[in-house]
Amino acid sequence: MKVVIIGTGYVGLPTGVGLAELGHTVVCIDKDEAKIKKLNARQLTLFESGLEELFKKNIAAGRLTFSTTLQDHIPGADIVILAVGTPPHPVTKEADLSFIYAAVEEVAPLLKDYTVLATKSTVPVGTGDKIEEILEKTNPKADVDVVSLPEFLREGFAIHDFFHPDRIVIGTKAPKAIKILTDLYQPLGEDIPLHIVSRRSSETIKYASNAFLAVKIHYINEMANFCEKTGADIAEVAKGMGLDSRIGPKFLQAGPGYGGSCFPKDTNAMAYMGREAGVNLSLIETTIYGNDARKQQMSIRIIEALKDIPHPKIALLGLAFKGGTDDCRESPAVQIIGHLVGTDADLVAFDPQAMEQAKKILGDNVNYAPDAYTAVQGADAVVILTEWTDFKTLDWDKIKPLMRTPRVLDFRNLLDKQALKEKGFIYQKIG
Ligand code: UGA
């Protein structure tokens, strides 16, 4: 099957590589010439665990190519997948659909034979209808079905998730489109969990899922606050809750708040859609507010812990919004550090993958160390901000004499509390 993917970001690129690995012929399109040049030179433009091997393999097999132009690729494509950004509006936070609509305007006149036009970008309910209106105006003769095909890949695990989906949601009632999309994913196996629904339901499933997961995280973070005041332990509480199959063990990891390019954006967009529809989504509104405040509360914890030390040196381990990625968009780590900039603390940061991305945001407000052991030198506190496994395996016997004060604030509950206490560290965790 011939697939064209428009947009080569964290959604488009792993999806393109995954579909090529399934045996399809995939062309990934992006307007950014530098990006396409790099991809054509077989260099990845983002870090995603396990992506590189499949990327190179499928280019070599001739199934995966990259281009800046649509003209040669849209005619003859069975499926065109929109995977461009839908960033939040700076004021209202509603999803900005200008990239989607611009792509549709360009694709429309090029459509020849029957084509499925699928939206993988996260778009508000009703966007599929608007895309149809554009197609109707621009190329009324086009033989096309507009489908919602939301993605549920987690960054850092995108390749794993692509090949082991919990579900593939297909938002269309058009039999021809259903057949083509079923065939597209057929190589995943006989039992692929297809969920075929109306386009509006599909668009809503994506937002409702991300918002629910965000609420779950905010809930466990509030429980962590409660545990801190009452002497319970959040790890024990979360495990005890998660053993109930109705609750489930996932997304009950307390931490510094959720971040990334999806949850903050999608909860805000969902809240906006609720307000627009006149529906009270108070749970989501409260989650957004609570999660924003949490990053500041985390920085206050650091300041409080060091209040008796003049000009403390703080080693900040982790900059990415979570482990396994170099992505710093809406990263709690970066936001917490942002709250520390301007205090009298000397800030030194290290991340195994995200230094370049973080530098674009934090600039020279922070010093950057080449590794964790350099970062901790002379420090009065180590703060674990991202749950990298690299930090789990650090040699704390080596670290202790390097620090001025052996203090650890573990905002990801990554380390062994007992072991660190026995080594003489002052250890503070979440919950
Ligand atoms: C999220 C969803 O999990 C994906 O299903 C979805 O496809 C994606 O958004 C998207 O809409 O594109 P992602 O943003 O990559 O994926 O990251 P998650 O693994 O979901 O983590 C999001 C944030 O929640 C991170 O900051 C993470 O540290 C935090 N988190 C996650 C917690 O604080 N506790 C948890 O138990 C789980």
Side-chain angles (χ1 to χ4, degrees):
M1 214 171 277
K2 188 176 171 200
V3 185
V4 172
I5 301 187
I6 304 177
T8 58
Y10 286 92
V11 173
L13 195 54
T15 303
V17 171
L19 289 173
E21 179 66 12
L22 293 185
H24 303 298
T25 305
V26 179
V27 186
C28 294
I29 312 268
D30 205 295
K31 280 200 181 314
D32 186 333
E33 287 187 12
K35 236 183 191 183
I36 293 299
K37 200 171 163 200
K38 207 169 166 192
L39 292 166
N40 273 326
R42 303 189 181 199
Q43 287 170 27
L44 276 180
T45 44
L46 50 88
F47 174 78
E48 180 63 52
S49 184
L51 184 63
E52 188 160 15
E53 193 193 328
L54 293 184
F55 166 76
K56 289 188 170 157
K57 180 181 158 196
N58 282 285
I59 295 175
R63 286 191 295 266
L64 182 62
T65 52
F66 301 93
S67 175
T68 50
T69 53
L70 294 168
Q71 290 83 343
D72 297 339
H73 307 291
I74 299 294
D78 298 293
I79 306 170
V80 176
I81 296 178
L82 299 173
V84 294
T86 51
H89 183 280
V91 179
T92 64
K93 309 281 186 197
E94 70 184 296
D96 175 357
L97 296 172
S98 53
F99 297 113
I100 291 275
Y101 295 149
V104 175
E105 301 259 4
E106 274 189 60
V107 167
L110 301 171
L111 293 166
K112 278 238 165 77
D113 303 325
Y114 176 76
T115 315
V116 173
L117 180 57
T119 308
K120 216 163 227 326
S121 312
T122 301
V123 293
V125 64
T127 302
D129 301 15
K130 291 193 183 130
I131 291 175
E132 265 178 0
E133 281 169 27
I134 296 174
L135 290 169
E136 193 56 41
K137 266 191 218 147
T138 327
N139 184 357
K141 288 201 184 117
D143 187 8
V144 59
D145 277 316
V146 178
V147 177
S148 161
L149 189 67
E151 65 94 17
F152 301 102
L153 309 178
R154 292 164 300 163
E155 278 182 42
F157 300 91
I159 294 300
H160 171 274
D161 290 353
F162 182 90
F163 291 104
H164 306 93
D166 283 344
R167 78 293 209 195
I168 292 167
V169 174
I170 296 178
T172 181
K173 295 289 179 182
K176 232 168 153 182
I178 293 171
K179 166 86 175 76
I180 286 191
L181 290 167
T182 307
D183 289 350
L184 183 75
Y185 287 105
Q186 196 58 48
L188 282 175
E190 287 299 310
D191 306 323
I192 40 167
L194 291 182
H195 185 49
I196 298 164
V197 296
S198 75
R199 198 165 58 204
R200 282 181 175 244
S201 297
S202 172
E203 289 165 343
T204 305
I205 286 169
K206 169 67 191 201
Y207 279 109
S209 302
N210 272 4
F212 181 78
L213 292 170
V215 169
K216 200 172 177 189
I217 296 168
H218 179 57
Y219 181 85
I220 205 67
N221 285 340
E222 287 202 329
M223 280 304 132
N225 290 345
F226 181 77
C227 289
E228 284 164 13
K229 293 283 182 209
T230 56
D233 182 295
I234 192 62
E236 292 176 356
V237 171
K239 187 161 183 196
M241 288 169 61
L243 286 169
D244 183 332
S245 61
R246 293 169 303 175
I247 297 173
K250 294 179 183 165
F251 278 71
L252 287 179
Q253 177 65 46
Y258 60 77
S261 68
C262 304
F263 287 177
K265 169 173 83 74
D266 294 348
T267 44
N268 273 302
M270 183 81 228
Y272 177 86
M273 283 190 281
R275 287 194 294 274
E276 213 182 31
V279 177
N280 181 359
L281 297 177
S282 61
L283 206 50
I284 296 173
E285 301 271 11
T286 306
T287 295
I288 295 166
Y289 173 79
N291 191 65
D292 284 347
R294 188 156 181 86
K295 272 64 78 61
Q296 190 154 18
Q297 289 154 9
M298 292 295 114
S299 62
I300 291 168
R301 279 186 196 207
I302 301 171
I303 293 165
E304 276 289 309
L306 297 170
K307 66 176 185 301
D308 296 329
I309 302 175
H311 306 299
K313 181 173 172 184
I314 309 173
L316 302 146
L317 298 189
L319 294 163
F321 83 95
K322 63 174 189 177
T325 177
D326 64 345
D327 196 344
C328 288
R329 287 176 292 174
E330 300 282 329
S331 167
V334 170
Q335 291 172 350
I336 291 165
I337 295 170
H339 289 304
L340 297 173
V341 171
T343 66
D344 70 341
D346 177 9
L347 307 174
V348 185
F350 169 71
D351 187 288
Q353 291 293 343
M355 303 273 266
E356 290 313 311
Q357 299 298 334
K359 275 181 197 171
K360 290 181 195 162
I361 309 169
L362 289 167
D364 54 12
N365 287 302
V366 176
N367 294 310
Y368 301 92
D371 56 62
Y373 296 103
T374 311
V376 303
Q377 274 175 23
D380 298 290
V382 169
V383 187
I384 307 284
L385 290 170
T386 309
E387 72 282 29
W388 283 105
T389 35
D390 308 40
F391 299 154
K392 218 172 175 161
T393 52
L394 286 171
D395 181 348
W396 293 94
D397 289 322
K398 186 174 160 186
I399 288 177
K400 194 176 167 216
L402 295 176
M403 295 182 71
R404 189 158 61 185
T405 324
R407 178 186 283 107
V408 177
L409 285 92
D410 184 359
F411 287 175
R412 293 288 186 170
N413 291 356
L414 190 72
L415 308 173
D416 183 339
K417 170 183 169 183
Q418 204 48 39
L420 280 176
K421 284 197 161 172
E422 279 165 18
K423 289 183 198 300
F425 281 89
I426 307 159
Y427 177 83
Q428 192 181 331
K429 68 179 183 73
I430 298 285

